[in-house]
């Protein structure tokens, strides 16, 4: 059985055996844990962001955060920042960005399947522009060829954004992982154009998962 996860303007597809196993999370779920239905979170009744769990993981407000779900975190991403488990519900990724945005200090997101070099991450941190992204390859081509905001793979949010829109993430309302990059991108485009850095970052995502 093939299951499609919507992710912004495109879909990820993976195969799984059926509905015999529980869906442990929503964001790029391993096929072994996917039922093919709309259930998200560790339990079927999980329908709220894991606010306290996310806050605990952000105790020191790290500059570089690496959102991940179990079994899907690549070491190339983990070594670039502070991993944060967002598998508690389909809104945990949004909750992570909401809390980090509300803190009001610049930060970088490196998603679980991205492999930027240290130089690339440092380049984002040092750049004066408020919204910086690295391009990367997806199934259909480069992210910049698919959406003007490129995507959330490797992105920097700078201080000018928090001044211009201090409640940008909160005002989106709880947003599922599958819509988060699109909703964030559209909201940010109302403020500033993205500064796209090159060369593209290596993308390790397996499109069969």
């Amino acid at each position: 059985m093939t299951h499609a996860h919507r992710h912004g303007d495109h879909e990820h597809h993976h195969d799984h055996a059926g509905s015999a196993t529980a869906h442990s999370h929503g964001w790029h779920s391993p096929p072994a844990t996917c039922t093919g239905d709309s259930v998200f979170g560790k339990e079927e009744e999980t329908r709220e962001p894991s606010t306290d769990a996310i806050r605990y993981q952000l105790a020191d407000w790290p500059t570089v955060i690496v959102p991940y779900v179990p079994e899907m975190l690549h070491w190339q991403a983990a070594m670039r920042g502070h991993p944060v488990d967002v598998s508690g519900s389909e809104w945990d990724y949004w909750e992570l960005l909401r809390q980090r945005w509300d803190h009001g200090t610049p930060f970088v997101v490196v998603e679980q399947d991205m492999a930027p070099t240290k130089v690339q991450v440092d380049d984002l941190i040092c750049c004066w522009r408020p919204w910086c992204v690295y391009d990367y390859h997806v199934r259909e081509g480069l992210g910049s060829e698919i959406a003007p905001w490129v995507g959330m793979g490797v992105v920097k949010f700078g201080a000018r954004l928090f001044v211009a829109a201090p409640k940008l993430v909160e005002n989106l309302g709880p947003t599922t992982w599958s819509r988060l990059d699109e909703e964030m991108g559209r909201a940010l485009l109302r403020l500033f154009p993205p500064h796209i850095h090159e060369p593209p970052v290596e993308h390790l995502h397996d499109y069969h998962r």
Side-chain angles (χ1 to χ4, degrees):
M1 179 177 182
T2 298
H3 184 201
H5 285 311
R6 182 163 176 76
H7 194 98
D9 286 334
H10 58 284
E11 291 185 337
H12 295 303
H13 297 260
H14 63 244
D15 297 318
H16 60 86
S19 59
T21 56
H23 199 303
S24 64
H25 57 74
W27 183 45
H28 288 183
S29 173
T33 64
C34 180
T35 63
D37 59 22
S38 60
V39 176
F40 296 93
K42 293 177 180 176
E43 306 291 341
E44 288 193 20
E45 62 270 18
T46 300
R47 290 294 184 270
E48 297 293 335
S50 306
T51 303
D52 291 341
I54 296 297
R55 178 64 186 84
Y56 177 79
Q57 295 180 82
L58 288 176
D60 296 323
W61 302 108
T63 298
V64 183
I65 53 177
V66 183
Y68 77 95
V69 295
E71 301 180 38
M72 302 292 283
L73 177 61
H74 291 264
W75 65 266
Q76 295 94 328
M79 70 185 298
R80 294 296 170 226
H82 180 78
V84 178
D85 186 343
V86 293
S87 68
S89 80
E90 65 174 302
W91 295 286
D92 277 17
Y93 195 175
W94 170 83
E95 177 66 14
L96 167 62
L97 295 184
R98 185 192 69 80
Q99 291 192 30
R100 192 59 187 79
W101 194 280
D102 286 355
H103 190 255
T105 55
F107 67 100
V108 173
V109 172
V110 176
E111 290 191 336
Q112 62 186 8
D113 53 9
M114 306 305 296
T117 65
K118 182 179 185 302
V119 169
Q120 286 175 313
V121 173
D122 289 345
D123 186 43
L124 293 187
I125 294 172
C126 294
C127 188
W128 61 270
R129 293 172 177 84
W131 175 25
C132 296
V133 296
Y134 262 102
D135 212 347
Y136 58 94
H137 290 278
V138 293
R139 186 200 303 267
E140 300 88 345
L142 287 171
S144 59
E145 297 170 344
I146 298 169
W149 54 85
V150 181
M152 291 275 290
V154 182
V155 57
K156 189 275 301 284
F157 302 114
R160 288 166 62 197
L161 285 174
F162 312 133
V163 174
K167 295 296 182 181
L168 183 144
V169 181
E170 184 173 327
N171 289 342
L172 293 179
T175 304
T176 180
W177 61 271
S178 63
R179 300 290 298 177
L180 188 59
D181 65 344
E182 181 176 1
E183 296 300 322
M184 283 287 294
R186 294 189 187 283
L188 288 163
L189 283 174
R190 300 187 189 106
L191 302 173
F192 301 101
H195 178 220
I196 302 175
H197 290 238
E198 298 286 352
V201 167
E202 183 180 3
H203 188 199
L204 304 174
H205 183 64
D206 179 356
Y207 283 93
H208 292 94
R209 292 175 69 97

